[in-house]
């Protein structure tokens, strides 16, 4: 995927045709535990997630799990840099290769941000994304025998005119598995997500 295509995915302008349905290739509704289903990912990783969550394969290596209200679903704005969609992302190698500013390769040293300009606030499209600062770091369990590089980046959203803080603080949480080339990005503190990752299985 070239940089223009990556920018379109991030902005929500690509993969729209795939958004009308949960991705059958990414999720299985054959969960045996009541109220859950399997989300099968690359490298043999499987998560068990609530049945109410919807899975969208936006593009190769860009999978979005919608966990609540999402006014952008099914629209041209449905992408990494939209606002108001309660969700988290699962990124694969192609997304990881362009996961930093100016589409440089992602590392845990900086927050995931595949763009070269200032993006909209995750919870308010009228505001801009403020500077992110590292709030927490360490290793986190993702299934038995696998540790992810965990990072929590804290930021406020700012006025697009004055650049002053105008909104509440939010946290972008990231779990990166470099060997498996899987990156989870969560801007909504999705309830239960750390526990879901801890209980993941590998095959």
């Amino acid at each position: 995927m070239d940089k223009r295509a990556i920018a379109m995915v991030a902005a929500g302008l690509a993969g729209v045709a795939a958004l009308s349905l949960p991705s059958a290739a990414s999720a299985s509704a054959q969960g045996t535990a009541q109220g859950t289903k399997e989300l099968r990912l690359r490298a043999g990783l499987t998560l068990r997630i609530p049945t109410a969550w919807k899975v969208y394969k936006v593009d190769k290596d860009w999978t979005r799990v919608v966990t609540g209200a999402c006014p952008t679903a099914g629209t041209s704005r449905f992408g990494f840099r939209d606002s108001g969609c309660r969700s988290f992302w699962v990124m694969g190698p192609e997304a990881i290769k362009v996961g930093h500013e100016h589409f440089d390769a992602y590392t845990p040293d900086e927050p995931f941000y595949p763009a070269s300009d200032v993006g909209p606030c995750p919870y308010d499209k009228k505001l801009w994304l403020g500077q992110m600062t590292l709030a927490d770091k360490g290793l986190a369990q993702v299934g038995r025998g696998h540790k992810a590089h965990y990072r929590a980046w804290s930021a406020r959203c700012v006025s697009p005119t004055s650049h002053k803080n105008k909104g509440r603080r939010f946290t972008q949480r990231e779990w990166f598995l470099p060997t498996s080339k899987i990156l989870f990005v969560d801007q909504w503190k999705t309830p239960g997500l750390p526990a879901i990752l801890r209980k993941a299985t590998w095959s």
Side-chain angles (χ1 to χ4, degrees):
M1 189 184 302
D2 62 22
K3 291 183 178 180
R4 180 177 178 274
I6 292 295
M8 290 173 68
V9 171
L13 301 178
V16 175
L19 303 182
S20 58
L21 299 173
S23 170
S26 298
S28 167
Q30 301 173 7
T32 55
Q34 186 176 6
T36 65
K37 62 186 177 185
E38 289 183 345
L39 171 57
R40 296 176 182 173
L41 303 169
R42 60 174 283 105
L45 176 61
T46 299
L47 309 182
R48 191 165 290 280
I49 63 174
T51 54
W53 291 3
K54 296 180 179 179
V55 181
Y56 298 89
K57 191 171 180 62
V58 178
D59 211 317
K60 182 181 179 182
D61 293 335
W62 295 74
T63 297
R64 191 174 203 176
V65 182
V66 174
T67 62
C70 185
T72 60
T75 74
S76 62
R77 301 197 319 275
F78 187 84
F80 185 77
R81 301 198 312 159
D82 65 2
S83 299
C85 181
R86 292 185 174 272
S87 61
F88 65 90
W89 288 82
V90 187
M91 308 298 189
E94 292 300 314
I96 291 168
K97 283 196 304 188
V98 293
H100 281 325
E101 276 194 284
H102 308 293
F103 307 105
D104 292 334
Y106 172 85
T107 72
D109 298 330
E110 298 177 19
F112 182 85
Y113 187 70
S116 57
D117 58 359
V118 179
C121 174
Y123 59 81
D124 188 341
K125 64 183 180 182
K126 295 180 181 179
L127 300 177
W128 281 359
L129 184 67
Q131 184 176 2
M132 292 187 177
T133 57
L134 185 62
D136 194 13
K137 65 180 291 187
L139 295 176
Q141 199 76 33
V142 179
R144 182 176 297 178
H146 291 76
K147 297 276 191 180
H149 296 282
Y150 173 74
R151 299 291 186 269
W153 300 93
S154 180
R156 288 189 185 274
C157 294
V158 301
S159 164
T161 53
S162 69
H163 303 286
K164 294 182 178 179
N165 292 338
K166 298 293 288 186
R168 65 183 185 275
R169 186 169 294 280
F170 75 95
T171 300
Q172 178 168 303
R173 302 186 297 181
E174 302 173 359
W175 292 261
F176 179 47
L177 294 150
T179 302
S180 304
K181 294 183 170 56
I182 300 171
L183 171 65
F184 296 89
V185 181
D186 177 27
Q187 295 178 324
W188 290 92
K189 286 193 173 180
T190 300
L193 182 56
I196 287 172
L197 295 180
R198 282 196 304 271
K199 296 175 183 177
T201 58
W202 296 83
S203 60

